[in-house]
Structures are given as structure tokens and as C-alpha cells.
Amino acid sequence: MRFVVARLFTVLTVAILFAPPSHAQATPFVWPLEPRPLVVRPFDPPEREWLPGHRGVDLAGREGQSVRAAGDGVVVFAGIVATKPVVSVDHPSGLRTTYEPVVSSVTPGSRVRGGDVIGTLASGHAGCVTPCLHWGVRRDRTYLDPLALMRTTPIRLKPLTPS
């Protein structure tokens, strides 16, 4: 029973965190790499925000591959963070997606549409043997699983017991 309640809480939390505000137009998100990439390291958030964890997913790619904005938004950062090239995009839904290591072809303030090229994949992401894209998403200070953006099946809550 605890598992069912915990799972239901997780499903509700994901639904609430990823639901756009009422004023935002819902637009589908797309994979930042084409073709659909292999996930080489999944989302593994820390128990507390100050603890170590993997706050995104690593997607297999190749050096120089085009990296695309996952959704419509505005580029809010394109530069270097701790020696790594990073691009961040704010979306109307209140989410922010981040992409690293990406050599940017956009500048802060640029409007992008889902699927627009925002840069090229560089090598050197820690933990990846071959070039890979670390793709993250957060709402405010809460990191979320970017793969949840790619779910195409709507969440349907079912009763725990038959009626």
C-alpha cells in the first residue's frame, strides 16, 4: 500500500510540476538531439538540493552534432560555466532547460522555437566515454527529469480499488 501511495504521489507531483501555468500556451517539447538519442545516464536527483546527484540526463551524441532547443522560449544564458560551454532557455511554461557542453550559436535574448539549432555538441562531459549532451530542466530551484517532457501519453489517475 505504501508503494501505491508513494507512486501516486510521484505521478501527481510530476503532473503538477510540468503543468504549464494557465496563461502559458502548451507546446510540445522535442528531443534536443536528432535522431532520438540513447539515454546513457538517467536522472538521479539528490535527496536534498545541496547533496551530490545527477540533475539531468546524458544523451549519446557525436562531437559537432547540432543541439536543438527542446521547446519554444528565450535564451537566457550562452557562455562558460566552470570551463564548460552551456546554453539555457526559459520556456513560457516556467521551465528552464539547460544544455552542456554546447558551443552556442545563439545569444542571450534570442527567441527560439522547439527544434531550432542552438549550438553544437562539444566533447568532454564528465562521466561520458563518448561525446554526450547533459540535458537538464528545472522549475525555479527544483530539478526535474527532462525525459518527462518527452512523454506523449497523458497521465490518467485510476482508483486504487474497483468501484
Short mmCIF file of all heavy atoms in Angstrom, two decimals, residues 88-155:
data_model
loop_
_atom_site.label_atom_id
_atom_site.label_comp_id
_atom_site.label_asym_id
_atom_site.label_seq_id
_atom_site.Cartn_x
_atom_site.Cartn_y
_atom_site.Cartn_z
N SER A 88 21.20 28.00 -21.80
CA SER A 88 19.97 27.85 -21.02
C SER A 88 18.84 28.59 -21.72
O SER A 88 19.03 29.70 -22.22
CB SER A 88 20.14 28.44 -19.62
OG SER A 88 21.13 27.74 -18.90
N VAL A 89 17.66 27.95 -21.73
CA VAL A 89 16.48 28.52 -22.38
C VAL A 89 15.32 28.54 -21.39
O VAL A 89 15.04 27.52 -20.76
CB VAL A 89 16.08 27.70 -23.63
CG1 VAL A 89 14.81 28.24 -24.26
CG2 VAL A 89 17.22 27.66 -24.65
N ASP A 90 14.68 29.69 -21.23
CA ASP A 90 13.46 29.80 -20.43
C ASP A 90 12.26 29.60 -21.34
O ASP A 90 12.19 30.18 -22.44
CB ASP A 90 13.36 31.18 -19.76
CG ASP A 90 14.16 31.27 -18.47
OD1 ASP A 90 14.75 30.25 -18.05
OD2 ASP A 90 14.21 32.37 -17.89
N HIS A 91 11.31 28.80 -20.85
CA HIS A 91 10.11 28.46 -21.63
C HIS A 91 8.89 29.14 -21.00
O HIS A 91 8.86 29.37 -19.79
CB HIS A 91 9.93 26.95 -21.68
CG HIS A 91 11.13 26.26 -22.25
ND1 HIS A 91 11.37 26.15 -23.60
CD2 HIS A 91 12.19 25.67 -21.64
CE1 HIS A 91 12.51 25.52 -23.80
NE2 HIS A 91 13.04 25.22 -22.62
N PRO A 92 7.86 29.44 -21.80
CA PRO A 92 6.67 30.11 -21.27
C PRO A 92 5.98 29.35 -20.14
O PRO A 92 5.28 29.94 -19.33
CB PRO A 92 5.73 30.22 -22.48
CG PRO A 92 6.56 30.03 -23.68
CD PRO A 92 7.76 29.22 -23.25
N SER A 93 6.20 28.04 -20.07
CA SER A 93 5.58 27.22 -19.03
C SER A 93 6.22 27.44 -17.66
O SER A 93 5.76 26.88 -16.67
CB SER A 93 5.69 25.74 -19.41
OG SER A 93 7.06 25.38 -19.50
N GLY A 94 7.31 28.22 -17.60
CA GLY A 94 8.01 28.43 -16.34
C GLY A 94 9.18 27.48 -16.15
O GLY A 94 9.87 27.54 -15.13
N LEU A 95 9.45 26.64 -17.13
CA LEU A 95 10.58 25.73 -17.06
C LEU A 95 11.81 26.37 -17.67
O LEU A 95 11.70 27.26 -18.52
CB LEU A 95 10.28 24.43 -17.82
CG LEU A 95 9.12 23.59 -17.31
CD1 LEU A 95 8.87 22.41 -18.24
CD2 LEU A 95 9.39 23.10 -15.90
N ARG A 96 12.98 25.92 -17.24
CA ARG A 96 14.26 26.31 -17.85
C ARG A 96 14.98 25.04 -18.23
O ARG A 96 15.18 24.16 -17.40
CB ARG A 96 15.11 27.12 -16.89
CG ARG A 96 16.53 27.40 -17.46
CD ARG A 96 17.35 28.29 -16.58
NE ARG A 96 16.81 29.65 -16.66
CZ ARG A 96 17.30 30.69 -16.00
NH1 ARG A 96 18.34 30.54 -15.19
NH2 ARG A 96 16.76 31.89 -16.14
N THR A 97 15.38 24.94 -19.50
CA THR A 97 16.18 23.81 -19.94
C THR A 97 17.63 24.25 -20.10
O THR A 97 17.89 25.41 -20.46
CB THR A 97 15.66 23.21 -21.27
OG1 THR A 97 15.53 24.25 -22.24
CG2 THR A 97 14.33 22.51 -21.08
N THR A 98 18.55 23.33 -19.81
CA THR A 98 19.98 23.62 -19.94
C THR A 98 20.63 22.53 -20.78
O THR A 98 20.19 21.37 -20.75
CB THR A 98 20.67 23.70 -18.57
OG1 THR A 98 20.47 22.47 -17.87
CG2 THR A 98 20.13 24.85 -17.75
N TYR A 99 21.67 22.92 -21.50
CA TYR A 99 22.34 22.03 -22.44
C TYR A 99 23.85 22.25 -22.28
O TYR A 99 24.33 23.37 -22.40
CB TYR A 99 21.94 22.39 -23.87
CG TYR A 99 20.44 22.56 -24.07
CD1 TYR A 99 19.80 23.75 -23.72
CD2 TYR A 99 19.67 21.53 -24.58
CE1 TYR A 99 18.43 23.91 -23.88
CE2 TYR A 99 18.29 21.68 -24.74
CZ TYR A 99 17.69 22.87 -24.39
OH TYR A 99 16.33 23.02 -24.55
N GLU A 100 24.59 21.14 -22.04
CA GLU A 100 26.05 21.25 -21.93
C GLU A 100 26.71 19.94 -22.30
O GLU A 100 26.08 18.89 -22.12
CB GLU A 100 26.47 21.69 -20.52
CG GLU A 100 26.25 20.62 -19.47
CD GLU A 100 26.81 20.98 -18.11
OE1 GLU A 100 26.25 21.86 -17.44
OE2 GLU A 100 27.81 20.35 -17.74
N PRO A 101 27.90 19.93 -22.81
CA PRO A 101 28.67 21.06 -23.32
C PRO A 101 28.23 21.42 -24.74
O PRO A 101 28.30 20.60 -25.64
CB PRO A 101 30.11 20.53 -23.31
CG PRO A 101 29.97 19.04 -23.49
CD PRO A 101 28.63 18.65 -22.91
N VAL A 102 27.78 22.63 -24.91
CA VAL A 102 27.26 23.10 -26.20
C VAL A 102 27.92 24.41 -26.57
O VAL A 102 27.83 25.39 -25.82
CB VAL A 102 25.72 23.26 -26.15
CG1 VAL A 102 25.21 23.87 -27.44
CG2 VAL A 102 25.05 21.92 -25.90
N VAL A 103 28.58 24.43 -27.72
CA VAL A 103 29.14 25.66 -28.26
C VAL A 103 27.99 26.40 -28.92
O VAL A 103 27.42 25.94 -29.91
CB VAL A 103 30.27 25.36 -29.27
CG1 VAL A 103 30.80 26.67 -29.87
CG2 VAL A 103 31.39 24.57 -28.61
N SER A 104 27.62 27.52 -28.34
CA SER A 104 26.40 28.23 -28.70
C SER A 104 26.46 28.89 -30.07
O SER A 104 27.49 29.45 -30.46
CB SER A 104 26.12 29.30 -27.64
OG SER A 104 24.99 30.06 -28.00
N SER A 105 25.32 28.86 -30.76
CA SER A 105 25.15 29.63 -31.99
C SER A 105 24.08 30.70 -31.78
O SER A 105 23.65 31.35 -32.73
CB SER A 105 24.77 28.70 -33.16
OG SER A 105 23.55 28.04 -32.89
N VAL A 106 23.64 30.87 -30.53
CA VAL A 106 22.62 31.85 -30.18
C VAL A 106 23.17 32.77 -29.09
O VAL A 106 24.18 32.46 -28.46
CB VAL A 106 21.32 31.17 -29.68
CG1 VAL A 106 20.63 30.42 -30.81
CG2 VAL A 106 21.60 30.23 -28.51
N THR A 107 22.49 33.88 -28.88
CA THR A 107 22.91 34.82 -27.84
C THR A 107 21.76 35.04 -26.86
O THR A 107 20.60 34.86 -27.22
CB THR A 107 23.31 36.18 -28.46
OG1 THR A 107 22.21 36.68 -29.22
CG2 THR A 107 24.53 36.05 -29.35
N PRO A 108 22.08 35.44 -25.64
CA PRO A 108 21.01 35.73 -24.68
C PRO A 108 20.04 36.75 -25.25
O PRO A 108 20.44 37.71 -25.90
CB PRO A 108 21.76 36.27 -23.46
CG PRO A 108 23.10 35.62 -23.55
CD PRO A 108 23.40 35.57 -25.03
N GLY A 109 18.76 36.49 -25.03
CA GLY A 109 17.71 37.36 -25.56
C GLY A 109 17.11 36.83 -26.85
O GLY A 109 16.03 37.27 -27.26
N SER A 110 17.80 35.88 -27.50
CA SER A 110 17.27 35.29 -28.74
C SER A 110 16.04 34.46 -28.45
O SER A 110 16.01 33.70 -27.49
CB SER A 110 18.31 34.37 -29.39
OG SER A 110 19.50 35.03 -29.68
N ARG A 111 15.02 34.62 -29.29
CA ARG A 111 13.83 33.75 -29.20
C ARG A 111 14.08 32.52 -30.05
O ARG A 111 14.60 32.64 -31.16
CB ARG A 111 12.60 34.50 -29.71
CG ARG A 111 12.17 35.61 -28.79
CD ARG A 111 10.73 36.05 -29.08
NE ARG A 111 10.31 37.06 -28.13
CZ ARG A 111 9.91 36.83 -26.89
NH1 ARG A 111 9.86 35.60 -26.44
NH2 ARG A 111 9.57 37.80 -26.08
N VAL A 112 13.73 31.37 -29.50
CA VAL A 112 13.91 30.12 -30.23
C VAL A 112 12.59 29.35 -30.23
O VAL A 112 11.75 29.53 -29.35
CB VAL A 112 15.03 29.25 -29.63
CG1 VAL A 112 16.39 29.91 -29.82
CG2 VAL A 112 14.79 28.95 -28.16
N ARG A 113 12.43 28.50 -31.23
CA ARG A 113 11.29 27.60 -31.32
C ARG A 113 11.80 26.19 -31.06
O ARG A 113 12.98 25.91 -31.28
CB ARG A 113 10.66 27.66 -32.71
CG ARG A 113 10.32 29.05 -33.20
CD ARG A 113 8.93 29.52 -33.08
NE ARG A 113 7.93 28.56 -33.53
CZ ARG A 113 6.72 28.52 -33.00
NH1 ARG A 113 6.39 29.35 -32.04
NH2 ARG A 113 5.83 27.65 -33.42
N GLY A 114 10.93 25.33 -30.59
CA GLY A 114 11.33 23.95 -30.38
C GLY A 114 11.89 23.37 -31.66
O GLY A 114 11.26 23.47 -32.71
N GLY A 115 13.08 22.81 -31.60
CA GLY A 115 13.73 22.23 -32.78
C GLY A 115 14.75 23.14 -33.43
O GLY A 115 15.55 22.69 -34.24
N ASP A 116 14.77 24.44 -33.06
CA ASP A 116 15.79 25.35 -33.60
C ASP A 116 17.17 24.96 -33.09
O ASP A 116 17.33 24.62 -31.90
CB ASP A 116 15.53 26.80 -33.17
CG ASP A 116 14.38 27.46 -33.90
OD1 ASP A 116 13.81 26.86 -34.83
OD2 ASP A 116 14.03 28.61 -33.52
N VAL A 117 18.17 25.04 -33.94
CA VAL A 117 19.54 24.75 -33.54
C VAL A 117 20.04 25.88 -32.64
O VAL A 117 19.91 27.06 -32.97
CB VAL A 117 20.46 24.59 -34.77
CG1 VAL A 117 21.92 24.44 -34.35
CG2 VAL A 117 20.02 23.39 -35.61
N ILE A 118 20.58 25.50 -31.47
CA ILE A 118 21.10 26.50 -30.53
C ILE A 118 22.62 26.39 -30.39
O ILE A 118 23.25 27.23 -29.74
CB ILE A 118 20.44 26.37 -29.13
CG1 ILE A 118 20.64 24.97 -28.56
CG2 ILE A 118 18.97 26.75 -29.21
CD1 ILE A 118 20.17 24.80 -27.11
N GLY A 119 23.22 25.38 -31.00
CA GLY A 119 24.66 25.22 -30.95
C GLY A 119 25.07 23.83 -31.39
O GLY A 119 24.27 23.07 -31.93
N THR A 120 26.36 23.50 -31.11
CA THR A 120 26.88 22.19 -31.47
C THR A 120 27.46 21.52 -30.24
O THR A 120 28.00 22.17 -29.34
CB THR A 120 27.96 22.29 -32.56
OG1 THR A 120 28.99 23.17 -32.12
CG2 THR A 120 27.38 22.79 -33.87
N LEU A 121 27.34 20.20 -30.23
CA LEU A 121 27.82 19.40 -29.10
C LEU A 121 29.34 19.36 -29.09
O LEU A 121 29.97 19.10 -30.11
CB LEU A 121 27.24 17.98 -29.20
CG LEU A 121 27.55 17.03 -28.06
CD1 LEU A 121 27.01 17.56 -26.73
CD2 LEU A 121 26.98 15.65 -28.36
N ALA A 122 29.90 19.66 -27.93
CA ALA A 122 31.35 19.56 -27.73
C ALA A 122 31.63 18.28 -26.96
O ALA A 122 30.73 17.69 -26.36
CB ALA A 122 31.85 20.78 -26.96
N SER A 123 32.87 17.85 -26.96
CA SER A 123 33.22 16.67 -26.18
C SER A 123 33.65 17.11 -24.79
O SER A 123 33.79 18.30 -24.51
CB SER A 123 34.35 15.89 -26.86
OG SER A 123 35.49 16.71 -26.95
N GLY A 124 33.84 16.14 -23.91
CA GLY A 124 34.41 16.44 -22.61
C GLY A 124 33.45 16.46 -21.44
O GLY A 124 33.81 16.91 -20.36
N HIS A 125 32.21 15.97 -21.61
CA HIS A 125 31.31 15.92 -20.45
C HIS A 125 31.76 14.81 -19.53
O HIS A 125 31.88 13.66 -19.94
CB HIS A 125 29.86 15.74 -20.89
CG HIS A 125 28.90 15.70 -19.73
ND1 HIS A 125 28.74 16.77 -18.88
CD2 HIS A 125 28.10 14.72 -19.27
CE1 HIS A 125 27.87 16.44 -17.93
NE2 HIS A 125 27.46 15.20 -18.16
N ALA A 126 32.01 15.15 -18.27
CA ALA A 126 32.47 14.17 -17.28
C ALA A 126 31.48 13.02 -17.17
O ALA A 126 30.28 13.22 -17.15
CB ALA A 126 32.66 14.85 -15.93
N GLY A 127 32.01 11.81 -17.10
CA GLY A 127 31.16 10.64 -16.94
C GLY A 127 30.75 10.00 -18.26
O GLY A 127 30.16 8.93 -18.26
N CYS A 128 31.04 10.64 -19.37
CA CYS A 128 30.71 10.08 -20.68
C CYS A 128 31.99 9.67 -21.39
O CYS A 128 32.91 10.47 -21.52
CB CYS A 128 29.97 11.09 -21.54
SG CYS A 128 28.30 11.44 -20.97
N VAL A 129 32.02 8.42 -21.87
CA VAL A 129 33.19 7.92 -22.59
C VAL A 129 33.25 8.54 -23.98
O VAL A 129 34.31 8.89 -24.47
CB VAL A 129 33.14 6.37 -22.68
CG1 VAL A 129 34.32 5.83 -23.48
CG2 VAL A 129 33.11 5.77 -21.29
N THR A 130 32.09 8.68 -24.62
CA THR A 130 32.00 9.32 -25.93
C THR A 130 31.25 10.64 -25.73
O THR A 130 30.64 10.86 -24.68
CB THR A 130 31.24 8.42 -26.93
OG1 THR A 130 29.92 8.21 -26.43
CG2 THR A 130 31.94 7.09 -27.12
N PRO A 131 31.25 11.53 -26.71
CA PRO A 131 30.53 12.79 -26.53
C PRO A 131 29.06 12.56 -26.17
O PRO A 131 28.40 11.68 -26.73
CB PRO A 131 30.65 13.49 -27.89
CG PRO A 131 31.91 12.94 -28.47
CD PRO A 131 31.95 11.50 -28.01
N CYS A 132 28.58 13.30 -25.20
CA CYS A 132 27.17 13.22 -24.83
C CYS A 132 26.70 14.59 -24.36
O CYS A 132 27.49 15.43 -23.94
CB CYS A 132 26.92 12.15 -23.77
SG CYS A 132 27.60 12.50 -22.16
N LEU A 133 25.40 14.78 -24.48
CA LEU A 133 24.76 16.03 -24.07
C LEU A 133 24.16 15.84 -22.69
O LEU A 133 23.38 14.91 -22.47
CB LEU A 133 23.65 16.39 -25.06
CG LEU A 133 22.78 17.60 -24.68
CD1 LEU A 133 23.59 18.89 -24.76
CD2 LEU A 133 21.55 17.66 -25.57
N HIS A 134 24.55 16.71 -21.76
CA HIS A 134 23.87 16.74 -20.46
C HIS A 134 22.71 17.71 -20.62
O HIS A 134 22.90 18.89 -20.87
CB HIS A 134 24.81 17.20 -19.34
CG HIS A 134 24.10 17.27 -18.03
ND1 HIS A 134 23.88 16.16 -17.25
CD2 HIS A 134 23.55 18.31 -17.37
CE1 HIS A 134 23.22 16.52 -16.16
NE2 HIS A 134 23.01 17.83 -16.23
N TRP A 135 21.49 17.18 -20.49
CA TRP A 135 20.27 17.96 -20.68
C TRP A 135 19.54 18.03 -19.35
O TRP A 135 19.22 17.00 -18.76
CB TRP A 135 19.42 17.29 -21.75
CG TRP A 135 18.12 17.95 -22.08
CD1 TRP A 135 17.86 19.28 -22.11
CD2 TRP A 135 16.91 17.30 -22.46
NE1 TRP A 135 16.55 19.50 -22.48
CE2 TRP A 135 15.95 18.28 -22.70
CE3 TRP A 135 16.55 15.97 -22.62
CZ2 TRP A 135 14.65 18.00 -23.10
CZ3 TRP A 135 15.25 15.67 -23.02
CH2 TRP A 135 14.32 16.68 -23.26
N GLY A 136 19.30 19.24 -18.87
CA GLY A 136 18.62 19.43 -17.60
C GLY A 136 17.38 20.29 -17.74
O GLY A 136 17.23 21.02 -18.72
N VAL A 137 16.50 20.19 -16.76
CA VAL A 137 15.31 21.03 -16.72
C VAL A 137 14.98 21.31 -15.26
O VAL A 137 15.17 20.45 -14.40
CB VAL A 137 14.11 20.40 -17.47
CG1 VAL A 137 13.67 19.12 -16.81
CG2 VAL A 137 12.95 21.37 -17.57
N ARG A 138 14.53 22.53 -15.01
CA ARG A 138 14.10 22.85 -13.66
C ARG A 138 12.97 23.85 -13.69
O ARG A 138 12.78 24.57 -14.68
CB ARG A 138 15.26 23.35 -12.81
CG ARG A 138 15.86 24.66 -13.25
CD ARG A 138 17.10 24.99 -12.42
NE ARG A 138 17.75 26.15 -12.94
CZ ARG A 138 17.84 27.30 -12.31
NH1 ARG A 138 17.34 27.44 -11.10
NH2 ARG A 138 18.44 28.32 -12.85
N ARG A 139 12.22 23.86 -12.60
CA ARG A 139 11.21 24.87 -12.36
C ARG A 139 11.67 25.56 -11.08
O ARG A 139 11.79 24.92 -10.05
CB ARG A 139 9.83 24.26 -12.17
CG ARG A 139 8.74 25.33 -11.93
CD ARG A 139 7.36 24.75 -11.75
NE ARG A 139 6.86 24.01 -12.88
CZ ARG A 139 6.39 24.56 -14.01
NH1 ARG A 139 6.38 25.87 -14.17
NH2 ARG A 139 5.94 23.80 -14.99
N ASP A 140 11.94 26.86 -11.17
CA ASP A 140 12.54 27.60 -10.07
C ASP A 140 13.84 26.90 -9.66
O ASP A 140 14.71 26.76 -10.48
CB ASP A 140 11.55 27.76 -8.90
CG ASP A 140 10.29 28.53 -9.31
OD1 ASP A 140 10.43 29.51 -10.07
OD2 ASP A 140 9.19 28.13 -8.91
N ARG A 141 13.93 26.42 -8.42
CA ARG A 141 15.15 25.75 -7.97
C ARG A 141 15.02 24.22 -7.96
O ARG A 141 15.94 23.53 -7.55
CB ARG A 141 15.52 26.25 -6.58
CG ARG A 141 15.89 27.72 -6.57
CD ARG A 141 16.30 28.14 -5.22
NE ARG A 141 17.49 27.38 -4.85
CZ ARG A 141 18.53 27.87 -4.21
NH1 ARG A 141 18.52 29.12 -3.85
NH2 ARG A 141 19.55 27.12 -3.91
N THR A 142 13.89 23.71 -8.41
CA THR A 142 13.65 22.28 -8.37
C THR A 142 14.01 21.64 -9.71
O THR A 142 13.43 21.98 -10.75
CB THR A 142 12.16 21.98 -8.06
OG1 THR A 142 11.82 22.62 -6.83
CG2 THR A 142 11.90 20.49 -7.96
N TYR A 143 14.98 20.72 -9.67
CA TYR A 143 15.37 20.00 -10.87
C TYR A 143 14.37 18.88 -11.13
O TYR A 143 13.92 18.21 -10.21
CB TYR A 143 16.79 19.43 -10.73
CG TYR A 143 17.83 20.51 -10.85
CD1 TYR A 143 18.25 21.22 -9.73
CD2 TYR A 143 18.38 20.83 -12.08
CE1 TYR A 143 19.18 22.23 -9.84
CE2 TYR A 143 19.33 21.84 -12.20
CZ TYR A 143 19.72 22.54 -11.08
OH TYR A 143 20.64 23.54 -11.20
N LEU A 144 14.05 18.68 -12.40
CA LEU A 144 13.06 17.70 -12.83
C LEU A 144 13.69 16.77 -13.87
O LEU A 144 14.70 17.12 -14.48
CB LEU A 144 11.85 18.41 -13.42
CG LEU A 144 11.23 19.49 -12.54
CD1 LEU A 144 10.26 20.35 -13.32
CD2 LEU A 144 10.55 18.85 -11.34
N ASP A 145 13.06 15.65 -14.09
CA ASP A 145 13.54 14.69 -15.09
C ASP A 145 13.17 15.19 -16.48
O ASP A 145 11.98 15.26 -16.82
CB ASP A 145 12.91 13.32 -14.82
CG ASP A 145 13.41 12.25 -15.76
OD1 ASP A 145 14.17 12.56 -16.72
OD2 ASP A 145 13.04 11.08 -15.55
N PRO A 146 14.15 15.54 -17.32
CA PRO A 146 13.83 16.03 -18.66
C PRO A 146 13.06 15.02 -19.51
O PRO A 146 12.31 15.40 -20.40
CB PRO A 146 15.20 16.31 -19.30
CG PRO A 146 16.16 16.33 -18.18
CD PRO A 146 15.59 15.52 -17.07
N LEU A 147 13.23 13.74 -19.23
CA LEU A 147 12.52 12.73 -20.02
C LEU A 147 11.01 12.83 -19.83
O LEU A 147 10.25 12.42 -20.70
CB LEU A 147 13.01 11.33 -19.68
CG LEU A 147 14.50 11.08 -19.97
CD1 LEU A 147 14.87 9.64 -19.64
CD2 LEU A 147 14.85 11.43 -21.41
N ALA A 148 10.57 13.43 -18.73
CA ALA A 148 9.13 13.62 -18.52
C ALA A 148 8.56 14.59 -19.56
O ALA A 148 7.36 14.53 -19.85
CB ALA A 148 8.87 14.14 -17.11
N LEU A 149 9.39 15.45 -20.13
CA LEU A 149 8.93 16.36 -21.19
C LEU A 149 8.58 15.59 -22.46
O LEU A 149 7.81 16.07 -23.29
CB LEU A 149 10.02 17.39 -21.54
CG LEU A 149 10.41 18.39 -20.46
CD1 LEU A 149 11.58 19.23 -20.95
CD2 LEU A 149 9.23 19.26 -20.08
N MET A 150 9.16 14.41 -22.61
CA MET A 150 9.01 13.65 -23.84
C MET A 150 7.85 12.65 -23.78
O MET A 150 7.56 12.01 -24.75
CB MET A 150 10.31 12.90 -24.17
CG MET A 150 11.53 13.80 -24.21
SD MET A 150 11.30 15.37 -25.08
CE MET A 150 10.80 14.83 -26.67
N ARG A 151 7.21 12.54 -22.65
CA ARG A 151 6.11 11.58 -22.53
C ARG A 151 4.93 12.05 -23.40
O ARG A 151 4.52 13.19 -23.31
CB ARG A 151 5.67 11.46 -21.08
CG ARG A 151 6.76 10.81 -20.23
CD ARG A 151 6.23 10.28 -18.96
NE ARG A 151 7.06 9.72 -17.97
CZ ARG A 151 8.36 9.75 -17.82
NH1 ARG A 151 9.10 10.35 -18.68
NH2 ARG A 151 8.97 9.17 -16.81
N THR A 152 4.44 11.15 -24.21
CA THR A 152 3.35 11.51 -25.10
C THR A 152 2.01 10.98 -24.59
O THR A 152 0.97 11.40 -25.06
CB THR A 152 3.59 10.96 -26.52
OG1 THR A 152 3.78 9.55 -26.43
CG2 THR A 152 4.80 11.61 -27.15
N THR A 153 2.06 10.07 -23.65
CA THR A 153 0.82 9.51 -23.11
C THR A 153 0.36 10.37 -21.94
O THR A 153 1.12 10.62 -21.01
CB THR A 153 1.06 8.07 -22.60
OG1 THR A 153 1.63 7.32 -23.67
CG2 THR A 153 -0.22 7.44 -22.12
N PRO A 154 -0.88 10.84 -21.97
CA PRO A 154 -1.36 11.66 -20.85
C PRO A 154 -1.45 10.82 -19.58
O PRO A 154 -1.70 9.61 -19.63
CB PRO A 154 -2.74 12.13 -21.29
CG PRO A 154 -3.14 11.24 -22.41
CD PRO A 154 -1.89 10.66 -23.00
N ILE A 155 -1.23 11.46 -18.46
CA ILE A 155 -1.33 10.78 -17.17
C ILE A 155 -2.79 10.65 -16.81
O ILE A 155 -3.53 11.63 -16.81
CB ILE A 155 -0.56 11.56 -16.09
CG1 ILE A 155 0.92 11.57 -16.42
CG2 ILE A 155 -0.81 10.96 -14.71
CD1 ILE A 155 1.74 12.48 -15.54
#
